[in-house]
Amino acid sequence: MSVWTKWRDRARAKILALLGVGTASASGGSSSSSVGPAPAWDACTRASCWGGSNASVRVMNALSPRMPEAVFRERVAWTKGRGANTIHLFLVNKGDGEYAGYSPWGVGKGPGAGATDADTVKRMLERIAYCREQGLAVVIWLQADDSADWARALASNADRCVARVAEAGLLASASTVVAGLEMDEYWNATHARAVVAAIRACYSGKVGTHHTGGKTTFASLGDILFYQVEPGRSAAQIKADTVAAKKCGKPVNFFELSRGPARELCEAALSAGAFAVGNW
């Protein structure tokens, strides 16, 4: 049995046990859950990750135990109402936006080699399952920005930390796993390689990288480039930016091209060859 198969079966069993939706078969077959397998990475085409004034509403923080359940449900409904088919979710976020200060190790606690917090993981799994039940694909981001010390704690013990996340089942429903938001802000090349390698050790799907505006520093480590530019670009500029990003030779998700919904700019990126956008 491969390492991936072991992780998959353990993750599936944990999710089903926590959510009470049945038990997985010994062979890893289907369960009684009504939610099918995670959509393919290239089906995750439309997300709307920010709302409010200057991205004050952070959909990506929806796994935070600090976010009330009613607000979480509102964020999912808002996402669906925008016509999105995907939701992007942070696992580790010390200081990026509303309801920050959480990780699978608990509220106010950063990553470590020790066990994750059972109550926090249960809440996260329930919310991931709800997103899937609502018809949304899930893209998991291990690490937010504005969280440098937590990010370095994760990278310094990447194998153990990511293994804990996988054991908890938090990658099992992901269509893609992205190492971190604006990775070049807090990781050097050694850190980035370690985290991507740790993801690949226990997740068989596509791995994404993301950087500060206009950068592609660690793109060669991943399978998908999640791209970003500074706000204020025109549709014509976004088309040119997309063409430039594609020169990395990776599928491009033009993840952030504004600080809120920007349908015209998203359509410009898609028309220029991006397979997905984050400001729908």
Side-chain angles (χ1 to χ4, degrees):
M1 181 181 289
S2 69
V3 172
W4 155 243
T5 301
K6 291 178 181 177
W7 284 125
R8 183 201 64 193
D9 291 349
R10 291 169 69 182
R12 180 186 287 118
K14 182 151 190 172
I15 291 172
L16 293 172
L18 286 171
L19 299 182
V21 294
T23 56
S25 69
S27 62
S30 62
S31 74
S32 61
S33 174
S34 60
V35 177
W41 66 271
D42 54 357
C44 304
T45 54
R46 301 185 306 276
S48 200
C49 299
W50 306 275
S53 175
N54 194 31
S56 60
V57 172
R58 304 295 182 92
V59 175
M60 295 180 75
N61 294 356
L63 296 185
S64 173
R66 296 179 184 270
M67 180 181 286
E69 190 67 18
V71 175
F72 162 70
R73 300 279 177 125
E74 289 170 3
R75 298 291 159 83
V76 173
W78 181 83
T79 299
K80 290 181 64 179
R82 295 287 312 162
N85 58 23
T86 303
I87 190 166
H88 295 254
L89 301 169
F90 286 132
L91 293 183
V92 177
N93 182 356
K94 183 178 183 181
D96 186 5
E98 57 173 3
Y99 305 113
Y102 67 93
S103 80
W105 287 265
V107 173
K109 296 180 181 178
T116 52
D117 178 72
D119 288 341
T120 301
V121 166
K122 183 175 184 292
R123 174 70 61 86
M124 289 180 165
L125 290 173
E126 288 171 346
R127 290 186 174 182
I128 290 170
Y130 180 79
C131 291
R132 292 288 296 113
E133 289 164 2
Q134 292 298 304
L136 296 170
V138 171
V139 174
I140 292 292
W141 295 61
L142 284 186
Q143 180 66 57
D145 67 338
D146 296 328
S147 310
D149 54 343
W150 284 15
R152 290 174 189 142
L154 175 67
S156 66
N157 203 354
D159 288 346
R160 294 284 298 278
C161 289
V162 179
R164 292 295 192 185
V165 168
E167 288 172 351
L170 291 167
L171 307 183
S173 296
S175 293
T176 306
V177 174
V178 187
L181 187 81
E182 299 188 346
M183 295 164 58
D184 54 312
E185 218 180 59
Y186 43 78
W187 286 337
N188 59 31
T190 299
H191 293 145
R193 280 195 298 269
V195 174
V196 171
I199 296 169
R200 293 195 188 281
C202 53
Y203 176 72
S204 67
K206 300 291 188 183
V207 178
T209 63
H210 179 266
H211 314 81
T212 51
K215 302 288 183 63
T216 59
T217 310
F218 304 126
S220 63
L221 299 176
D223 305 304
I224 302 170
L225 173 62
F226 286 73
Y227 197 61
Q228 171 176 309
V229 292
E230 296 301 320
R233 308 286 281 171
S234 68
Q237 288 172 320
I238 291 296
K239 286 184 177 182
D241 293 333
T242 305
V243 171
K246 289 183 66 181
K247 290 180 180 178
C248 283
K250 309 286 183 179
V252 172
N253 182 322
F254 210 132
F255 180 69
E256 186 173 348
L257 41 70
S258 183
R259 298 290 288 168
R263 188 66 54 85
E264 180 184 0
L265 298 183
C266 287
E267 289 172 344
L270 293 170
S271 71
F275 81 90
V277 289
N279 295 90
W280 192 256

